[in-house]
Amino acid sequence: MTFNQADQQRTYIFERHIRNLSPEETIAYIYSGAITLQKLQELHYESYEHVVELLREEHVWHYAMNYPSYFVFDNYLKRYPNGKYRHLADRELRNIAEKHFDAKDLE
């Protein structure tokens, strides 16, 4: 089976079972290249907006990990207070604050 055939097979499976997939599972198909956001929209995927928001959160988090700063982690927490990475962002904020301030200033 060629790469193109495998890609077509993944797309066919996705389109056939789209209604049974969670947004998180759908994102895995996007990352694998089997489906695009444009195709999701064309298929009138009911969780399209949710998938887009999850992808935005992933993007913001990856940016934070590549360019860590107090501002970036604080921004993540403001945008996604209940986000997937909120505990990690909170820990990173505390670590950065401890490096730049005396412990007594944090209390």
Side-chain angles (χ1 to χ4, degrees):
M1 181 180 292
T2 67
F3 176 76
N4 193 31
Q5 289 171 326
D7 189 44
Q8 288 174 346
Q9 185 176 16
R10 281 194 308 270
T11 301
Y12 171 77
I13 291 168
F14 177 82
E15 288 177 10
R16 188 161 180 208
H17 300 286
I18 189 173
R19 308 257 182 278
N20 299 326
L21 297 175
S22 71
E24 291 78 10
E25 292 168 323
T26 302
I27 288 172
Y29 275 93
I30 292 169
Y31 285 153
S32 77
I35 196 79
T36 64
L37 282 174
Q38 181 179 352
K39 186 67 172 176
L40 279 180
Q41 200 169 27
E42 289 170 8
L43 293 171
H44 303 289
Y45 179 58
E46 63 189 54
S47 297
Y48 174 80
E49 292 298 327
H50 187 78
V51 166
V52 169
E53 190 54 34
L54 289 174
L55 287 170
R56 282 186 187 128
E57 180 182 354
E58 289 290 325
H59 177 76
V60 171
W61 179 252
H62 287 286
Y63 181 87
M65 295 308 296
N66 287 321
Y67 303 99
S69 72
Y70 190 91
F71 172 77
V72 171
F73 289 114
D74 187 52
N75 181 49
Y76 172 84
L77 288 171
K78 286 178 181 170
R79 287 181 72 176
Y80 304 102
N82 298 314
K84 180 178 178 180
Y85 303 105
R86 68 184 176 276
H87 300 297
L88 293 171
D90 204 32
R91 185 180 71 201
E92 291 297 326
L93 275 178
R94 279 184 270 127
N95 289 341
I96 291 168
E98 287 173 2
K99 287 180 185 176
H100 294 288
F101 303 106
D102 290 336
K104 64 182 176 193
D105 293 337
L106 297 175
E107 296 175 359

